[in-house]
Amino acid sequence: MSLHENKQKEPLLSVQHVKKYFSVTGQWGRLGGVKGQVKAVNDVSFRLVEGETYGLVGESGSGKSTTGRAILRLTEPTDGEVFYQNENIFQVPKRKLQRFRKDVQMVFQDPFSSLNPRKRIGKTIEEPLHIHRVGNQKERRERVLDILDKVGMGPEHYYRFPHEFSGGQRQRLGLARALVMEPKVVICDEPVSALDVSIQSQVVNLLKQLQTEMDLAYLFITHDISVVRHISDRIGVMYLGEIVEEAPTDDLFSSPLHPYTQALFSAVPRTKNERNRERIVLKGEIPSPLNPPTGCKFHTRCPFAMDICKREVPKRKKIEPDHFVTCHLYE
Ligand SMILES: Nc1ncnc2c1ncn2[C@@H]1O[C@H](COP(=O)(O)OP(=O)(O)O)[C@@H](O)[C@H]1O
Ligand SMILES: [Mg+2]
């Protein structure tokens, strides 16, 4: 999608200043009192437009999954707003979330979590149609067979059980279950991370094909740089609960600005015109979100850290029309 198109379209999903804090109790549980707060998601904003893929990338523990879950209110958000078709989803009473839950589906890393091991596949995929009272028995069965076909499976799979399938096939079935309601948005949380590399690209290509066929927008969550690059139109890079850089995919890879983005990308093979990109090796582990560094949270691992980075929280800055970075180097 070109930048121009991107701008003209209204966002389908607008995520604004979302926060999710977890209270952590001490060794003695409640008696120990509240030990602290994990700021798993701390002021995350981005928008998703129709038909596009927004990739969320970052190391394990950076808050990607919690962001996805908070948007769907699978975990109650601490603060912020999520607008879907101009309605603030965080203000909607839970029992009135049906339409949103129908339009915005989630696909997980482990499809077992959405496939009941004791139920035949056909019935599992049909379940959401039951819940939302779609069609009669015959129509529902037809829709299941249709979606099975779309994800590259056949009618012969209808009566089988989840354990009879390979990992790649199970992920296709997980996808079928998410897509049977014909959603507009799919939040994919590490959908290919558990699969062999050869199978990964098949599933990523299937996701792309279905996106065009069914006009889907994806929020694609992964720690895998190559995968996120392959599928995303725009990417947000997360570190300790914050998006530190956001740009269209090609811009981000040709000129990563944040030292954290540069470091993440250092680990993956470069293309010809990226040869002069600097190689940065990250020092140490990701700090505990229970006790994050002051100022810029990345300063403890940043090879370019200055004095100000320890003291002051950097502000998000627009470098190009669609390229944002939160780093003192650019202030
Ligand atoms: N239910 C929970 N209670 C306490 N801490 C949590 C909970 N869920 C996630 N966290 C913490 O929030 C941070 C972000 O986790 P997560 O969103 O799973 O990151 P990612 O998906 O990027 O690996 C981690 O430090 C994690 O330990
Ligand atoms: Mg995760």
Side-chain angles (χ1 to χ4, degrees):
M1 188 185 296
S2 75
L3 293 181
H4 187 63
E5 271 178 276
N6 196 346
K7 274 224 189 68
Q8 282 188 335
K9 286 191 175 174
E10 281 280 299
L12 193 57
L13 200 65
S14 177
V15 176
Q16 297 178 12
H17 307 291
V18 169
K19 296 180 184 170
K20 175 64 191 183
Y21 299 168
F22 294 105
S23 295
V24 183
T25 48
Q27 195 182 357
W28 306 103
R30 274 170 191 248
L31 288 179
V34 175
K35 195 172 148 202
Q37 271 184 327
V38 175
K39 295 184 174 175
V41 178
N42 201 10
D43 206 346
V44 161
S45 305
F46 63 91
R47 61 197 165 75
L48 187 65
V49 297
E50 247 170 67
E52 81 159 341
T53 300
Y54 186 93
L56 259 190
V57 72
E59 285 166 290
S60 169
S62 53
K64 306 180 298 295
S65 296
T66 308
T67 302
R69 293 171 54 80
I71 291 170
L72 270 177
R73 285 179 61 187
L74 297 177
T75 180
E76 270 308 304
T78 306
D79 199 8
E81 292 169 326
V82 167
F83 287 93
Y84 176 69
Q85 296 183 336
N86 297 318
E87 190 173 26
N88 184 358
I89 294 309
F90 286 2
Q91 298 290 331
V92 177
K94 258 205 160 152
R95 64 194 152 77
K96 289 198 174 160
L97 279 174
Q98 290 102 320
R99 197 179 60 97
F100 177 68
R101 290 261 163 88
K102 174 177 162 291
D103 283 2
V104 184
Q105 295 284 330
M106 190 145 182
V107 172
F108 301 93
Q109 171 169 356
D110 169 21
F112 263 125
S113 56
S114 50
L115 302 174
N116 184 334
R118 285 181 298 273
K119 243 187 184 168
R120 296 186 194 275
I121 283 300
K123 286 293 159 201
T124 292
I125 296 174
E126 197 187 311
E127 210 168 50
L129 297 172
H130 261 292
I131 295 170
H132 292 274
R133 298 199 185 89
V134 178
N136 59 31
Q137 208 175 347
K138 184 164 167 281
E139 286 162 346
R140 285 196 295 264
R141 193 185 147 87
E142 269 163 20
R143 235 165 111 167
V144 172
L145 291 173
D146 180 52
I147 200 73
L148 278 174
D149 180 59
K150 277 205 170 86
V151 301
M153 308 292 282
E156 70 275 20
H157 299 125
Y158 190 95
Y159 290 106
R160 300 220 186 128
F161 290 96
H163 73 264
E164 297 178 64
F165 295 94
S166 69
Q169 286 176 318
R170 274 202 292 271
Q171 198 49 284
R172 285 170 190 266
L173 296 167
L175 210 55
R177 188 181 147 101
L179 297 183
V180 75
M181 291 304 299
E182 299 179 346
K184 297 201 168 26
V185 178
V186 185
I187 299 180
C188 304
D189 190 355
E190 309 269 6
V192 300
S193 301
L195 305 175
D196 291 345
V197 174
S198 59
I199 311 290
Q200 278 190 348
S201 52
Q202 285 177 18
V203 175
V204 169
N205 288 336
L206 173 65
L207 280 164
K208 282 184 146 184
Q209 184 192 325
L210 292 168
Q211 178 164 47
T212 314
E213 263 175 51
M214 299 181 73
D215 201 17
L216 301 165
Y218 292 140
L219 171 59
F220 197 95
I221 295 171
T222 182
H223 68 277
D224 189 320
I225 314 293
S226 320
V227 170
V228 84
R229 176 179 203 172
H230 193 55
I231 197 156
S232 309
D233 297 297
R234 291 185 301 131
I235 296 175
V237 180
M238 279 193 84
Y239 188 74
L240 279 175
E242 292 165 17
I243 293 181
V244 297
E245 183 165 4
E246 180 190 289
T249 303
D250 291 342
D251 292 0
L252 194 69
F253 278 86
S254 59
S255 49
L257 299 176
H258 200 287
Y260 179 62
T261 315
Q262 294 172 359
L264 270 188
F265 290 0
S266 289
V268 296
R270 293 169 289 182
T271 62
K272 217 160 127 202
N273 52 7
E274 292 166 5
R275 291 269 181 259
N276 52 5
R277 206 167 70 197
E278 262 191 270
R279 281 199 172 267
I280 299 176
V281 180
L282 275 187
K283 296 181 282 184
E285 296 273 302
I286 188 165
S288 161
L290 200 56
N291 187 18
T294 54
C296 170
K297 287 181 180 168
F298 186 59
H299 87 255
T300 52
R301 296 169 83 193
C302 182
F304 310 114
M306 307 173 286
D307 242 7
I308 188 174
C309 307
K310 294 171 196 163
R311 287 182 277 111
E312 276 178 43
V313 178
K315 288 192 181 70
R316 177 175 158 110
K317 214 163 173 220
K318 190 190 249 182
I319 304 292
E320 299 273 344
D322 280 311
H323 198 154
F324 301 88
V325 67
T326 311
C327 172
H328 284 301
L329 289 172
Y330 302 92
E331 273 172 19

